[in-house]
């Protein structure tokens, strides 16, 4: 479940960075980007990238952690590029679902499985 959490965090981060650009924001939201919203999107991206790294750090040794994190970054970046290219208006909805899932996924680990 940790790899899924990393992927969701990276997806949110790259989508926030993408929406922090004027052209992509106008394509996705059909309105101009305000400077305040740009700052919030960049801060969200930084937080999501940090959270994705914190998720991978304690799990493995440093070498494997870097490889795993870069793989998740690559997969998330490719998915955001594809989404931006073919369905830009879906970006905000998918990012909202990804962020919600990334926030709720760690709570599933709090309850031990029975069996």
């Amino acid at each position: 479940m940790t790899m899924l959490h990393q992927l969701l965090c990276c997806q949110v981060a790259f989508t926030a960075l993408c929406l922090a650009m004027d052209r992509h924001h106008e394509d996705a939201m059909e309105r101009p980007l305000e400077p305040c919203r740009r700052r919030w999107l960049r801060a969200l991206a930084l937080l999501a990238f940090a959270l994705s790294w914190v998720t991978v750090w304690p799990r493995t040794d440093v070498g494997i952690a870097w490889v795993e994190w870069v793989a998740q970054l690559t997969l998330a970046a490719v998915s955001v590029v594809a989404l931006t290219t073919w369905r830009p208006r879906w970006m905000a909805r998918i990012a909202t679902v990804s962020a919600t899932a990334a926030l709720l996924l760690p709570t599933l680990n709090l309850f031990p499985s029975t069996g």
Side-chain angles (χ1 to χ4, degrees):
M1 209 170 338
T2 306
M3 290 183 75
L4 179 61
H5 188 258
Q6 294 165 18
L7 181 63
L8 290 171
C9 289
C10 291
Q11 177 83 20
V12 169
F14 277 119
T15 304
L17 283 180
C18 185
L19 289 174
M21 293 184 226
D22 291 325
R23 178 180 178 200
H24 298 305
H25 191 275
E26 287 177 9
D27 287 344
M29 302 295 200
E30 297 180 340
R31 65 177 186 234
L33 178 64
E34 298 93 19
C36 181
R37 176 169 274 190
R38 177 181 288 126
R39 286 190 297 274
W40 279 107
L41 286 169
R42 287 179 181 170
L44 174 65
L46 183 63
L47 179 68
F49 279 135
L51 187 60
S52 71
W53 175 248
V54 167
T55 303
V56 73
W57 181 259
R59 199 169 157 253
T60 55
D61 65 348
V62 177
I64 299 298
W66 279 107
V67 171
E68 189 176 310
W69 192 56
V70 169
Q72 297 296 332
L73 287 173
T74 304
L75 186 59
V78 168
S79 68
V80 169
V81 167
L83 190 62
T84 304
T85 303
W86 289 297
R87 299 286 183 195
R89 294 197 179 128
W90 290 8
M91 282 187 357
R93 283 178 254 162
I94 290 177
T96 303
V97 170
S98 296
T100 304
L103 290 173
L104 293 177
L105 196 59
T107 62
L108 297 177
N109 290 334
L110 295 176
F111 304 107
S113 61
T114 58

